[in-house]
mmCIF file of all heavy atoms in Angstrom:
data_model
loop_
_atom_site.group_PDB
_atom_site.id
_atom_site.type_symbol
_atom_site.label_atom_id
_atom_site.label_comp_id
_atom_site.label_asym_id
_atom_site.label_seq_id
_atom_site.Cartn_x
_atom_site.Cartn_y
_atom_site.Cartn_z
ATOM 1 N N ALA A 27 14.778 18.980 -66.941
ATOM 2 C CA ALA A 27 15.580 18.425 -68.014
ATOM 3 C C ALA A 27 17.071 18.658 -67.734
ATOM 4 O O ALA A 27 17.928 17.863 -67.881
ATOM 5 C CB ALA A 27 15.166 19.011 -69.359
ATOM 6 N N GLY A 31 19.794 15.881 -66.904
ATOM 7 C CA GLY A 31 21.008 15.727 -67.716
ATOM 8 C C GLY A 31 22.276 15.836 -66.972
ATOM 9 O O GLY A 31 23.267 15.148 -67.249
ATOM 10 N N PHE A 38 28.248 10.039 -61.595
ATOM 11 C CA PHE A 38 29.136 9.003 -62.119
ATOM 12 C C PHE A 38 30.491 9.501 -62.640
ATOM 13 O O PHE A 38 31.409 8.722 -62.824
ATOM 14 C CB PHE A 38 28.372 8.184 -63.247
ATOM 15 C CG PHE A 38 27.164 7.485 -62.624
ATOM 16 C CD1 PHE A 38 25.935 7.927 -63.020
ATOM 17 C CD2 PHE A 38 27.305 6.484 -61.734
ATOM 18 C CE1 PHE A 38 24.806 7.352 -62.434
ATOM 19 C CE2 PHE A 38 26.245 5.902 -61.180
ATOM 20 C CZ PHE A 38 24.970 6.289 -61.537
ATOM 21 N N GLY A 59 30.209 4.786 -54.776
ATOM 22 C CA GLY A 59 31.025 3.630 -54.433
ATOM 23 C C GLY A 59 32.018 3.910 -53.299
ATOM 24 O O GLY A 59 32.911 3.065 -52.959
ATOM 25 N N ASP A 75 43.084 -4.008 -58.833
ATOM 26 C CA ASP A 75 44.430 -4.321 -58.504
ATOM 27 C C ASP A 75 45.023 -5.337 -59.497
ATOM 28 O O ASP A 75 44.658 -6.494 -59.398
ATOM 29 C CB ASP A 75 44.350 -4.898 -57.032
ATOM 30 C CG ASP A 75 45.721 -5.176 -56.480
ATOM 31 O OD1 ASP A 75 46.759 -4.823 -57.090
ATOM 32 O OD2 ASP A 75 45.769 -5.857 -55.442
ATOM 33 N N GLU A 79 50.741 -0.859 -59.315
ATOM 34 C CA GLU A 79 51.306 0.221 -58.470
ATOM 35 C C GLU A 79 52.665 -0.118 -57.931
ATOM 36 O O GLU A 79 53.238 0.508 -57.026
ATOM 37 C CB GLU A 79 50.364 0.586 -57.391
ATOM 38 C CG GLU A 79 49.072 1.247 -57.855
ATOM 39 C CD GLU A 79 49.247 2.497 -58.733
ATOM 40 O OE1 GLU A 79 50.304 3.149 -58.655
ATOM 41 O OE2 GLU A 79 48.382 2.811 -59.499
ATOM 42 N N TRP A 86 57.708 5.494 -53.753
ATOM 43 C CA TRP A 86 57.267 5.811 -52.437
ATOM 44 C C TRP A 86 58.348 5.471 -51.405
ATOM 45 O O TRP A 86 58.712 6.304 -50.560
ATOM 46 C CB TRP A 86 55.959 5.088 -52.042
ATOM 47 C CG TRP A 86 55.314 5.517 -50.787
ATOM 48 C CD1 TRP A 86 54.350 6.497 -50.660
ATOM 49 C CD2 TRP A 86 55.580 5.024 -49.473
ATOM 50 N NE1 TRP A 86 53.980 6.603 -49.309
ATOM 51 C CE2 TRP A 86 54.775 5.720 -48.599
ATOM 52 C CE3 TRP A 86 56.434 4.026 -48.962
ATOM 53 C CZ2 TRP A 86 54.722 5.455 -47.217
ATOM 54 C CZ3 TRP A 86 56.452 3.803 -47.619
ATOM 55 C CH2 TRP A 86 55.583 4.463 -46.768
ATOM 56 N N SER A 88 61.560 4.965 -52.033
ATOM 57 C CA SER A 88 62.728 5.820 -52.258
ATOM 58 C C SER A 88 62.564 7.210 -51.763
ATOM 59 O O SER A 88 63.504 7.796 -51.102
ATOM 60 C CB SER A 88 62.961 5.886 -53.812
ATOM 61 O OG SER A 88 64.084 6.705 -54.081
ATOM 62 N N CYS A 99 53.354 -8.332 -49.668
ATOM 63 C CA CYS A 99 52.341 -9.320 -50.110
ATOM 64 C C CYS A 99 51.655 -8.642 -51.307
ATOM 65 O O CYS A 99 50.684 -7.901 -51.108
ATOM 66 C CB CYS A 99 51.372 -9.611 -49.055
ATOM 67 S SG CYS A 99 50.369 -11.042 -49.421
ATOM 68 N N THR A 103 52.259 -9.773 -61.360
ATOM 69 C CA THR A 103 53.299 -10.681 -61.963
ATOM 70 C C THR A 103 54.620 -9.992 -62.302
ATOM 71 O O THR A 103 55.532 -10.652 -62.673
ATOM 72 C CB THR A 103 52.712 -11.279 -63.245
ATOM 73 O OG1 THR A 103 52.360 -10.232 -64.132
ATOM 74 C CG2 THR A 103 51.531 -12.243 -62.990
ATOM 75 N N ARG A 107 61.906 -7.151 -57.638
ATOM 76 C CA ARG A 107 63.348 -6.911 -57.647
ATOM 77 C C ARG A 107 63.744 -6.041 -58.819
ATOM 78 O O ARG A 107 64.693 -5.304 -58.780
ATOM 79 C CB ARG A 107 64.044 -8.273 -57.698
ATOM 80 C CG ARG A 107 63.839 -9.059 -56.398
ATOM 81 C CD ARG A 107 64.317 -10.495 -56.546
ATOM 82 N NE ARG A 107 63.471 -11.186 -57.538
ATOM 83 C CZ ARG A 107 63.420 -12.473 -57.707
ATOM 84 N NH1 ARG A 107 64.243 -13.239 -57.006
ATOM 85 N NH2 ARG A 107 62.656 -13.059 -58.543
ATOM 86 N N ILE A 111 63.003 -3.161 -55.217
ATOM 87 C CA ILE A 111 62.338 -3.226 -53.924
ATOM 88 C C ILE A 111 62.890 -4.453 -53.125
ATOM 89 O O ILE A 111 62.660 -5.572 -53.492
ATOM 90 C CB ILE A 111 60.770 -3.402 -54.093
ATOM 91 C CG1 ILE A 111 60.261 -2.187 -54.834
ATOM 92 C CG2 ILE A 111 60.151 -3.631 -52.774
ATOM 93 C CD1 ILE A 111 58.783 -2.320 -55.177
ATOM 94 N N LEU A 114 60.809 -9.191 -48.301
ATOM 95 C CA LEU A 114 60.463 -10.505 -47.952
ATOM 96 C C LEU A 114 59.165 -10.887 -48.646
ATOM 97 O O LEU A 114 58.196 -10.179 -48.369
ATOM 98 C CB LEU A 114 60.341 -10.742 -46.477
ATOM 99 C CG LEU A 114 61.621 -10.442 -45.591
ATOM 100 C CD1 LEU A 114 61.199 -10.472 -44.113
ATOM 101 C CD2 LEU A 114 62.625 -11.460 -45.843
ATOM 102 N N ASN A 115 59.135 -11.858 -49.478
ATOM 103 C CA ASN A 115 57.893 -12.204 -50.177
ATOM 104 C C ASN A 115 57.003 -13.040 -49.281
ATOM 105 O O ASN A 115 57.217 -14.195 -49.217
ATOM 106 C CB ASN A 115 58.284 -12.932 -51.485
ATOM 107 C CG ASN A 115 57.079 -13.182 -52.384
ATOM 108 O OD1 ASN A 115 56.190 -12.305 -52.480
ATOM 109 N ND2 ASN A 115 57.038 -14.292 -53.042
ATOM 110 N N GLY A 119 51.924 -13.747 -51.764
ATOM 111 C CA GLY A 119 52.373 -12.674 -52.591
ATOM 112 C C GLY A 119 52.881 -13.083 -53.961
ATOM 113 O O GLY A 119 52.362 -14.024 -54.574
ATOM 114 N N LEU A 121 54.153 -14.537 -57.096
ATOM 115 C CA LEU A 121 54.136 -16.012 -57.377
ATOM 116 C C LEU A 121 55.487 -16.594 -57.804
ATOM 117 O O LEU A 121 55.690 -17.770 -57.654
ATOM 118 C CB LEU A 121 53.077 -16.342 -58.455
ATOM 119 C CG LEU A 121 51.684 -16.030 -58.087
ATOM 120 C CD1 LEU A 121 50.768 -16.253 -59.306
ATOM 121 C CD2 LEU A 121 51.196 -16.891 -56.938
ATOM 122 N N PHE A 122 56.410 -15.795 -58.341
ATOM 123 C CA PHE A 122 57.559 -16.361 -58.973
ATOM 124 C C PHE A 122 58.863 -16.283 -58.136
ATOM 125 O O PHE A 122 59.935 -16.193 -58.654
ATOM 126 C CB PHE A 122 57.741 -15.659 -60.338
ATOM 127 C CG PHE A 122 56.492 -15.833 -61.163
ATOM 128 C CD1 PHE A 122 55.730 -14.767 -61.448
ATOM 129 C CD2 PHE A 122 56.194 -17.128 -61.696
ATOM 130 C CE1 PHE A 122 54.567 -14.899 -62.290
ATOM 131 C CE2 PHE A 122 55.043 -17.236 -62.490
ATOM 132 C CZ PHE A 122 54.265 -16.152 -62.770
ATOM 133 N N ALA A 138 53.916 -3.832 -47.102
ATOM 134 C CA ALA A 138 53.152 -3.291 -48.296
ATOM 135 C C ALA A 138 52.284 -4.483 -48.725
ATOM 136 O O ALA A 138 52.802 -5.531 -49.076
ATOM 137 C CB ALA A 138 54.110 -2.820 -49.404
ATOM 138 N N ARG A 150 40.533 -18.375 -47.839
ATOM 139 C CA ARG A 150 39.325 -19.071 -47.470
ATOM 140 C C ARG A 150 38.979 -18.704 -46.056
ATOM 141 O O ARG A 150 39.752 -18.952 -45.176
ATOM 142 C CB ARG A 150 39.517 -20.627 -47.631
ATOM 143 C CG ARG A 150 39.753 -20.949 -49.054
ATOM 144 C CD ARG A 150 39.701 -22.454 -49.275
ATOM 145 N NE ARG A 150 39.635 -22.693 -50.723
ATOM 146 C CZ ARG A 150 40.565 -23.388 -51.331
ATOM 147 N NH1 ARG A 150 41.591 -23.857 -50.699
ATOM 148 N NH2 ARG A 150 40.449 -23.568 -52.628
ATOM 149 N N ALA A 153 40.835 -13.572 -43.730
ATOM 150 C CA ALA A 153 42.085 -13.210 -44.354
ATOM 151 C C ALA A 153 43.224 -13.505 -43.299
ATOM 152 O O ALA A 153 43.081 -13.066 -42.117
ATOM 153 C CB ALA A 153 42.104 -11.786 -44.815
ATOM 154 N N LEU A 158 48.401 -10.327 -38.581
ATOM 155 C CA LEU A 158 49.597 -9.593 -38.824
ATOM 156 C C LEU A 158 49.339 -8.078 -38.705
ATOM 157 O O LEU A 158 50.199 -7.315 -38.276
ATOM 158 C CB LEU A 158 50.144 -9.925 -40.201
ATOM 159 C CG LEU A 158 51.508 -9.272 -40.607
ATOM 160 C CD1 LEU A 158 52.637 -9.753 -39.713
ATOM 161 C CD2 LEU A 158 51.788 -9.647 -42.081
ATOM 162 N N ALA A 162 49.138 -2.706 -36.171
ATOM 163 C CA ALA A 162 49.936 -2.080 -37.228
ATOM 164 C C ALA A 162 49.340 -0.687 -37.483
ATOM 165 O O ALA A 162 48.105 -0.494 -37.350
ATOM 166 C CB ALA A 162 49.966 -2.923 -38.475
ATOM 167 N N PHE A 173 48.553 -0.903 -49.830
ATOM 168 C CA PHE A 173 48.525 -0.256 -48.526
ATOM 169 C C PHE A 173 49.868 -0.510 -47.801
ATOM 170 O O PHE A 173 50.370 -1.661 -47.767
ATOM 171 C CB PHE A 173 47.348 -0.854 -47.696
ATOM 172 C CG PHE A 173 46.057 -0.520 -48.368
ATOM 173 C CD1 PHE A 173 45.465 -1.380 -49.265
ATOM 174 C CD2 PHE A 173 45.395 0.690 -48.036
ATOM 175 C CE1 PHE A 173 44.296 -1.035 -49.938
ATOM 176 C CE2 PHE A 173 44.199 0.966 -48.685
ATOM 177 C CZ PHE A 173 43.594 0.103 -49.595
ATOM 178 N N TYR A 175 51.877 -0.340 -44.293
ATOM 179 C CA TYR A 175 51.728 -0.332 -42.817
ATOM 180 C C TYR A 175 53.127 -0.337 -42.160
ATOM 181 O O TYR A 175 54.063 -0.810 -42.713
ATOM 182 C CB TYR A 175 50.990 -1.662 -42.370
ATOM 183 C CG TYR A 175 49.505 -1.673 -42.692
ATOM 184 C CD1 TYR A 175 49.093 -2.189 -43.898
ATOM 185 C CD2 TYR A 175 48.619 -1.271 -41.763
ATOM 186 C CE1 TYR A 175 47.800 -2.216 -44.187
ATOM 187 C CE2 TYR A 175 47.200 -1.339 -42.040
ATOM 188 C CZ TYR A 175 46.832 -1.835 -43.273
ATOM 189 O OH TYR A 175 45.510 -1.884 -43.584
#
Side-chain angles (χ1 to χ4, degrees):
F38 297 111
D75 185 10
E79 297 302 337
W86 188 93
S88 177
C99 191
T103 57
R107 296 168 291 193
I111 299 173
L114 296 174
N115 187 39
L121 296 174
F122 303 109
R150 293 194 169 116
L158 183 64
F173 296 89
Y175 288 87

